[in-house]
Amino acid sequence: MKEEKLILDGNRVAAAMKEGLVEQIKRLSEKEIVPCLATILVGDDPSSATYVRMKGNACARLGIHSIRVELPSTTTTEELIAKINKLNDDPHVHGILLQHPVPHHIDERAAFEAIRIEKDVDGVTTIGFAQNAFGFADFPSCTPAAIIAILEYYNIPIEGKHAVVIGRSPILGKPVSVMLLNRNATVTICHSKTANLARLVRLGDIVVAAVGKPNFVQGDWIKPGAVVVDAGYNKGNIGDVDYEACLENASAITPVPAGVGPVTIAALLKHTVEAAERFLAKSVL
Ligand code: NAP
Protein backbone atom coordinates (compact mmCIF):
# COMPACT_ATOMS: atom_id res chain seq x y z
CA MET A 1 0.00 0.00 0.00
CA LYS A 2 1.31 3.47 -0.87
CA GLU A 3 2.29 5.49 2.19
CA GLU A 4 0.15 8.60 2.90
CA LYS A 5 2.06 11.86 2.58
CA LEU A 6 1.22 14.72 4.89
CA ILE A 7 1.16 18.08 3.11
CA LEU A 8 1.80 20.71 5.77
CA ASP A 9 -0.77 23.34 4.85
CA GLY A 10 0.50 26.79 5.84
CA ASN A 11 -2.82 28.47 5.10
CA ARG A 12 -4.51 26.21 7.62
CA VAL A 13 -1.91 26.93 10.32
CA ALA A 14 -2.06 30.67 9.60
CA ALA A 15 -5.87 30.68 9.79
CA ALA A 16 -5.76 29.00 13.21
CA MET A 17 -3.18 31.51 14.47
CA LYS A 18 -5.18 34.49 13.19
CA GLU A 19 -8.41 33.13 14.68
CA GLY A 20 -6.71 33.15 18.07
CA LEU A 21 -5.86 36.84 17.64
CA VAL A 22 -9.41 38.08 17.05
CA GLU A 23 -10.37 37.95 20.74
CA GLN A 24 -7.08 39.61 21.79
CA ILE A 25 -7.65 42.46 19.32
CA LYS A 26 -11.21 42.89 20.61
CA ARG A 27 -10.01 43.09 24.21
CA LEU A 28 -7.42 45.70 23.22
CA SER A 29 -10.05 47.77 21.39
CA GLU A 30 -12.10 47.88 24.60
CA LYS A 31 -9.10 49.67 26.10
CA GLU A 32 -8.96 51.92 23.03
CA ILE A 33 -5.79 50.36 21.70
CA VAL A 34 -5.44 49.33 18.07
CA PRO A 35 -2.31 47.23 17.50
CA CYS A 36 -0.11 49.01 14.99
CA LEU A 37 2.71 47.72 12.82
CA ALA A 38 5.06 50.12 11.02
CA THR A 39 6.73 48.63 7.94
CA ILE A 40 9.74 50.34 6.41
CA LEU A 41 10.66 49.77 2.80
CA VAL A 42 13.86 51.35 1.48
CA GLY A 43 14.30 51.48 -2.29
CA ASP A 44 12.18 50.02 -5.06
CA ASP A 45 12.86 46.28 -5.06
CA PRO A 46 9.59 44.86 -6.46
CA SER A 47 9.65 41.63 -4.38
CA SER A 48 10.23 43.60 -1.17
CA ALA A 49 7.41 45.97 -2.12
CA THR A 50 5.11 42.96 -2.64
CA TYR A 51 6.06 41.44 0.75
CA VAL A 52 5.39 44.76 2.52
CA ARG A 53 2.06 45.16 0.74
CA MET A 54 1.04 41.60 1.71
CA LYS A 55 1.90 42.31 5.35
CA GLY A 56 -0.11 45.57 5.30
CA ASN A 57 -3.11 43.83 3.71
CA ALA A 58 -2.96 41.02 6.28
CA CYS A 59 -2.98 43.62 9.07
CA ALA A 60 -6.00 45.38 7.57
CA ARG A 61 -8.00 42.15 7.27
CA LEU A 62 -7.57 41.53 11.00
CA GLY A 63 -8.15 45.09 12.23
CA ILE A 64 -4.48 45.80 12.93
CA HIS A 65 -3.39 49.27 11.94
CA SER A 66 -0.34 49.52 9.69
CA ILE A 67 1.84 52.45 8.75
CA ARG A 68 3.82 52.11 5.54
CA VAL A 69 7.06 54.07 5.48
CA GLU A 70 8.62 54.18 2.03
CA LEU A 71 12.06 55.69 1.69
CA PRO A 72 14.05 56.31 -1.50
CA SER A 73 17.03 54.09 -2.38
CA THR A 74 19.30 57.10 -1.75
CA THR A 75 18.42 57.09 1.98
CA THR A 76 21.51 57.08 4.21
CA THR A 77 22.02 54.88 7.27
CA GLU A 78 21.65 57.96 9.48
CA GLU A 79 18.37 58.99 7.84
CA LEU A 80 16.99 55.46 8.18
CA ILE A 81 17.97 55.29 11.86
CA ALA A 82 16.39 58.71 12.47
CA LYS A 83 13.14 57.37 10.97
CA ILE A 84 13.31 54.23 13.11
CA ASN A 85 13.87 56.38 16.22
CA LYS A 86 10.76 58.40 15.41
CA LEU A 87 8.75 55.17 15.25
CA ASN A 88 10.42 53.99 18.48
CA ASP A 89 9.12 57.13 20.18
CA ASP A 90 5.62 56.95 18.70
CA PRO A 91 3.33 55.43 21.37
CA HIS A 92 0.79 54.39 18.72
CA VAL A 93 3.34 52.10 17.00
CA HIS A 94 3.76 48.70 18.68
CA GLY A 95 5.88 46.87 16.14
CA ILE A 96 8.50 47.91 13.59
CA LEU A 97 9.48 45.83 10.60
CA LEU A 98 12.40 46.92 8.43
CA GLN A 99 12.08 44.96 5.18
CA HIS A 100 15.28 43.05 4.36
CA PRO A 101 17.35 43.60 2.25
CA VAL A 102 18.06 47.32 2.28
CA PRO A 103 20.25 48.93 -0.44
CA HIS A 104 23.94 47.93 -0.14
CA HIS A 105 25.24 51.33 0.96
CA ILE A 106 23.11 51.18 4.13
CA ASP A 107 24.49 49.52 7.27
CA GLU A 108 21.59 47.10 7.70
CA ARG A 109 22.86 45.74 11.02
CA ALA A 110 23.06 49.25 12.51
CA ALA A 111 19.52 49.94 11.29
CA PHE A 112 18.18 46.70 12.78
CA GLU A 113 19.91 47.48 16.08
CA ALA A 114 18.12 50.84 16.22
CA ILE A 115 14.75 49.10 16.63
CA ARG A 116 13.75 49.21 20.30
CA ILE A 117 13.49 45.68 21.72
CA GLU A 118 9.83 46.13 22.75
CA LYS A 119 8.99 46.85 19.10
CA ASP A 120 11.32 44.25 17.54
CA VAL A 121 8.46 42.02 16.34
CA ASP A 122 10.71 40.23 13.82
CA GLY A 123 13.52 39.39 16.23
CA VAL A 124 16.20 41.16 14.19
CA THR A 125 18.16 42.87 16.98
CA THR A 126 21.08 41.16 18.70
CA ILE A 127 19.17 41.33 21.99
CA GLY A 128 16.16 39.70 20.34
CA PHE A 129 18.40 37.00 18.86
CA ALA A 130 20.13 36.38 22.20
CA GLN A 131 16.81 36.12 24.05
CA ASN A 132 15.69 33.60 21.44
CA ALA A 133 18.91 31.63 21.86
CA PHE A 134 18.30 31.48 25.62
CA GLY A 135 14.72 30.39 24.94
CA PHE A 136 12.80 33.34 26.36
CA ALA A 137 12.31 35.72 23.44
CA ASP A 138 9.00 37.58 23.31
CA PHE A 139 9.34 37.82 19.55
CA PRO A 140 11.58 35.33 17.74
CA SER A 141 12.12 36.02 14.02
CA CYS A 142 8.86 35.42 12.20
CA THR A 143 9.94 32.77 9.67
CA PRO A 144 11.65 30.58 12.30
CA ALA A 145 8.59 31.05 14.55
CA ALA A 146 6.42 29.98 11.59
CA ILE A 147 8.46 26.82 11.02
CA ILE A 148 8.08 25.81 14.67
CA ALA A 149 4.36 26.69 14.58
CA ILE A 150 3.84 24.37 11.58
CA LEU A 151 5.66 21.47 13.25
CA GLU A 152 3.70 22.00 16.47
CA TYR A 153 0.33 22.37 14.71
CA TYR A 154 0.83 19.00 13.02
CA ASN A 155 2.19 17.40 16.22
CA ILE A 156 5.47 16.53 14.56
CA PRO A 157 7.90 15.48 17.28
CA ILE A 158 11.06 17.58 17.55
CA GLU A 159 12.64 16.23 20.73
CA GLY A 160 15.32 13.65 20.08
CA LYS A 161 15.12 14.13 16.31
CA HIS A 162 18.04 15.04 14.11
CA ALA A 163 17.24 18.37 12.43
CA VAL A 164 19.37 19.46 9.49
CA VAL A 165 19.07 23.16 8.69
CA ILE A 166 20.51 24.36 5.38
CA GLY A 167 21.31 28.06 5.77
CA ARG A 168 22.67 30.14 8.66
CA SER A 169 21.33 33.65 8.04
CA PRO A 170 20.64 35.77 11.14
CA ILE A 171 16.92 35.99 10.35
CA LEU A 172 16.30 32.40 9.40
CA GLY A 173 18.86 29.59 9.50
CA LYS A 174 20.51 30.51 12.81
CA PRO A 175 17.39 31.38 14.82
CA VAL A 176 15.45 28.33 13.62
CA SER A 177 18.46 26.17 14.54
CA VAL A 178 18.48 27.44 18.13
CA MET A 179 14.71 27.09 18.37
CA LEU A 180 14.96 23.45 17.31
CA LEU A 181 17.86 22.95 19.73
CA ASN A 182 15.83 24.49 22.56
CA ARG A 183 13.13 21.93 21.78
CA ASN A 184 15.71 19.16 22.24
CA ALA A 185 16.45 18.32 18.63
CA THR A 186 20.03 17.48 17.69
CA VAL A 187 20.85 20.12 15.12
CA THR A 188 23.26 20.18 12.20
CA ILE A 189 23.61 23.59 10.54
CA CYS A 190 24.83 23.59 6.94
CA HIS A 191 26.01 26.52 4.83
CA SER A 192 27.83 27.32 1.61
CA LYS A 193 31.15 25.95 2.89
CA THR A 194 29.69 22.66 4.19
CA ALA A 195 31.42 19.61 2.77
CA ASN A 196 29.33 16.57 1.80
CA LEU A 197 26.06 18.45 2.11
CA ALA A 198 23.90 15.69 0.59
CA ARG A 199 25.36 13.10 3.00
CA LEU A 200 24.51 15.31 6.00
CA VAL A 201 21.00 16.11 4.78
CA ARG A 202 20.38 12.35 4.38
CA LEU A 203 20.82 12.02 8.16
CA GLY A 204 17.99 14.46 8.90
CA ASP A 205 14.69 13.41 10.45
CA ILE A 206 13.65 17.04 9.93
CA VAL A 207 15.18 19.02 7.05
CA VAL A 208 14.76 22.79 6.93
CA ALA A 209 15.76 24.46 3.67
CA ALA A 210 16.66 28.17 3.99
CA VAL A 211 19.12 28.61 1.15
CA GLY A 212 17.65 31.08 -1.34
CA LYS A 213 18.26 28.81 -4.35
CA PRO A 214 15.32 27.43 -6.37
CA ASN A 215 14.80 23.64 -6.20
CA PHE A 216 18.14 23.25 -4.42
CA VAL A 217 17.36 20.27 -2.16
CA GLN A 218 17.26 17.09 -4.22
CA GLY A 219 14.90 14.15 -3.75
CA ASP A 220 17.65 11.59 -3.09
CA TRP A 221 19.02 13.77 -0.23
CA ILE A 222 15.92 13.02 1.83
CA LYS A 223 15.90 10.08 4.21
CA PRO A 224 12.74 7.95 3.84
CA GLY A 225 10.15 9.25 6.30
CA ALA A 226 11.86 12.61 6.93
CA VAL A 227 9.87 15.83 7.41
CA VAL A 228 10.83 18.55 4.94
CA VAL A 229 10.20 22.24 5.62
CA ASP A 230 10.86 24.56 2.71
CA ALA A 231 11.39 28.14 3.93
CA GLY A 232 12.64 29.24 0.53
CA TYR A 233 10.83 31.66 -1.69
CA ASN A 234 12.29 32.39 -5.10
CA LYS A 235 11.03 34.16 -8.21
CA GLY A 236 8.07 32.39 -9.79
CA ASN A 237 6.75 30.94 -6.49
CA ILE A 238 9.54 28.36 -6.32
CA GLY A 239 10.90 27.02 -3.06
CA ASP A 240 14.40 25.88 -2.12
CA VAL A 241 13.26 22.25 -2.29
CA ASP A 242 12.59 20.18 -5.40
CA TYR A 243 9.07 19.48 -4.14
CA GLU A 244 7.97 16.60 -6.37
CA ALA A 245 11.28 14.76 -6.01
CA CYS A 246 11.47 15.25 -2.22
CA LEU A 247 7.84 14.19 -1.79
CA GLU A 248 8.91 10.68 -2.88
CA ASN A 249 10.87 10.04 0.33
CA ALA A 250 9.37 12.58 2.74
CA SER A 251 6.57 11.64 5.15
CA ALA A 252 5.53 15.31 5.41
CA ILE A 253 6.43 18.42 3.44
CA THR A 254 5.53 22.10 3.16
CA PRO A 255 4.52 23.30 -0.31
CA VAL A 256 5.57 26.61 -1.89
CA PRO A 257 3.47 28.71 -2.01
CA ALA A 258 1.02 28.10 0.88
CA GLY A 259 3.61 26.62 3.23
CA VAL A 260 5.89 28.69 5.46
CA GLY A 261 5.00 32.05 3.82
CA PRO A 262 1.45 32.59 5.17
CA VAL A 263 2.49 31.39 8.63
CA THR A 264 5.35 33.91 8.66
CA ILE A 265 2.81 36.70 8.12
CA ALA A 266 0.54 35.25 10.82
CA ALA A 267 3.53 35.20 13.22
CA LEU A 268 4.18 38.87 12.47
CA LEU A 269 0.54 39.74 13.25
CA LYS A 270 0.68 37.69 16.45
CA HIS A 271 3.86 39.43 17.60
CA THR A 272 2.35 42.86 16.84
CA VAL A 273 -0.77 42.09 18.88
CA GLU A 274 1.36 40.79 21.74
CA ALA A 275 3.55 43.91 21.59
CA ALA A 276 0.38 46.03 21.92
CA GLU A 277 -0.72 43.92 24.90
CA ARG A 278 2.66 44.42 26.58
CA PHE A 279 2.40 48.16 25.91
CA LEU A 280 -1.01 48.20 27.59
CA ALA A 281 0.20 46.15 30.56
CA LYS A 282 3.10 48.57 31.07
CA SER A 283 0.93 51.66 30.80
CA VAL A 284 -1.50 50.47 33.48
CA LEU A 285 1.30 49.64 35.92
P1 NAP B 1 20.46 34.37 2.89
O1 NAP B 1 20.66 35.43 3.89
O2 NAP B 1 20.92 34.57 1.49
O3 NAP B 1 21.14 33.03 3.45
C1 NAP B 1 21.24 31.88 2.67
C2 NAP B 1 21.99 30.82 3.42
O4 NAP B 1 22.12 29.69 2.56
C3 NAP B 1 23.40 31.24 3.84
O5 NAP B 1 23.65 30.85 5.16
C4 NAP B 1 24.31 30.51 2.86
O6 NAP B 1 25.55 30.09 3.40
C5 NAP B 1 23.48 29.26 2.56
N1 NAP B 1 23.86 28.71 1.27
C6 NAP B 1 23.98 29.37 0.09
N2 NAP B 1 24.40 28.53 -0.87
C7 NAP B 1 24.54 27.32 -0.29
C8 NAP B 1 24.96 26.05 -0.75
N3 NAP B 1 25.33 25.85 -2.03
N4 NAP B 1 25.00 25.03 0.13
C9 NAP B 1 24.63 25.20 1.41
N5 NAP B 1 24.23 26.39 1.91
C10 NAP B 1 24.19 27.43 1.07
O7 NAP B 1 18.92 33.97 2.76
P2 NAP B 1 17.75 34.06 3.87
O8 NAP B 1 17.33 35.45 4.04
O9 NAP B 1 18.08 33.22 5.05
O10 NAP B 1 16.58 33.33 3.04
C11 NAP B 1 16.68 31.97 2.66
C12 NAP B 1 15.45 31.61 1.83
O11 NAP B 1 14.30 31.80 2.62
C13 NAP B 1 15.24 32.47 0.59
O12 NAP B 1 14.67 31.66 -0.41
C14 NAP B 1 14.25 33.52 1.03
O13 NAP B 1 13.48 34.04 -0.04
C15 NAP B 1 13.40 32.70 1.95
N6 NAP B 1 12.67 33.47 2.96
C16 NAP B 1 11.37 33.17 3.09
C17 NAP B 1 10.63 33.82 4.02
C18 NAP B 1 9.19 33.44 4.17
O14 NAP B 1 8.41 34.18 4.78
N7 NAP B 1 8.81 32.27 3.65
C19 NAP B 1 11.20 34.81 4.83
C20 NAP B 1 12.55 35.07 4.72
C21 NAP B 1 13.28 34.39 3.76
P3 NAP B 1 26.70 31.15 3.86
O15 NAP B 1 26.25 31.65 5.21
O16 NAP B 1 27.92 30.33 3.93
O17 NAP B 1 26.72 32.22 2.81
Side-chain angles (χ1 to χ4, degrees):
M1 202 177 76
K2 211 171 170 222
E3 197 195 330
E4 273 295 309
K5 307 283 182 183
L6 181 59
I7 308 302
L8 306 171
D9 180 350
N11 285 331
R12 198 167 142 186
V13 181
M17 282 168 78
K18 286 189 246 178
E19 205 183 297
L21 295 177
V22 172
E23 188 56 33
Q24 283 168 271
I25 294 170
K26 197 170 148 239
R27 275 200 303 270
L28 282 164
S29 76
E30 284 159 9
K31 306 276 181 200
E32 291 180 357
I33 290 189
V34 181
C36 174
L37 174 72
T39 58
I40 310 173
L41 176 66
V42 190
D44 45 20
D45 177 61
S47 316
S48 293
T50 304
Y51 295 147
V52 166
R53 203 170 37 250
M54 281 165 69
K55 288 164 187 170
N57 292 344
C59 282
R61 278 195 291 271
L62 218 60
I64 295 174
H65 188 50
S66 68
I67 297 174
R68 220 153 100 189
V69 178
E70 289 180 6
L71 300 171
S73 51
T74 50
T75 304
T76 64
T77 304
E78 292 69 29
E79 286 165 342
L80 176 56
I81 290 177
K83 189 72 215 175
I84 291 169
N85 281 332
K86 266 202 164 157
L87 297 168
N88 279 335
D89 292 339
D90 184 339
H92 300 293
V93 171
H94 305 106
I96 301 173
L97 180 119
L98 170 60
Q99 184 64 43
H100 160 88
V102 295
H104 289 303
H105 67 275
I106 292 179
D107 183 344
E108 185 178 76
R109 179 60 15 219
F112 278 150
E113 295 304 337
I115 299 172
R116 198 173 289 156
I117 183 71
E118 295 83 6
K119 300 192 180 191
D120 180 17
V121 284
D122 198 16
V124 294
T125 59
T126 49
I127 296 177
F129 182 89
Q131 289 180 344
N132 189 31
F134 280 105
F136 58 80
D138 291 332
F139 312 126
S141 303
C142 293
T143 306
I147 292 168
I148 299 295
I150 291 170
L151 295 174
E152 288 180 349
Y153 180 90
Y154 283 100
N155 293 317
I156 292 170
I158 299 175
E159 181 164 313
K161 300 297 177 189
H162 181 194
V164 178
V165 178
I166 317 170
R168 56 171 168 181
S169 73
I171 55 146
L172 216 176
K174 266 185 202 154
V176 79
S177 299
V178 296
M179 290 172 89
L180 290 162
L181 180 65
N182 288 341
R183 286 162 180 77
N184 297 321
T186 300
V187 183
T188 299
I189 308 172
C190 304
H191 47 79
S192 66
K193 307 291 185 292
T194 296
N196 299 319
L197 179 67
R199 191 170 62 82
L200 289 171
V201 176
R202 268 185 211 114
L203 300 174
D205 302 308
I206 299 171
V207 175
V208 177
V211 197
K213 290 193 156 76
N215 294 326
F216 180 77
V217 176
Q218 302 299 296
D220 64 353
W221 298 5
I222 302 301
K223 178 166 86 171
V227 174
V228 178
V229 181
D230 187 353
Y233 194 76
N234 306 286
K235 246 198 187 117
N237 269 346
I238 298 170
D240 287 351
V241 164
D242 183 342
Y243 180 82
E244 292 300 335
C246 289
L247 190 59
E248 286 287 311
N249 278 339
S251 61
I253 189 165
T254 60
V256 175
V260 173
V263 191
T264 296
I265 293 182
L268 178 66
L269 304 179
K270 180 170 179 274
H271 294 173
T272 303
V273 172
E274 286 171 4
E277 285 182 335
R278 279 163 202 277
F279 171 80
L280 174 65
K282 262 195 179 164
S283 53
V284 286
L285 278 179

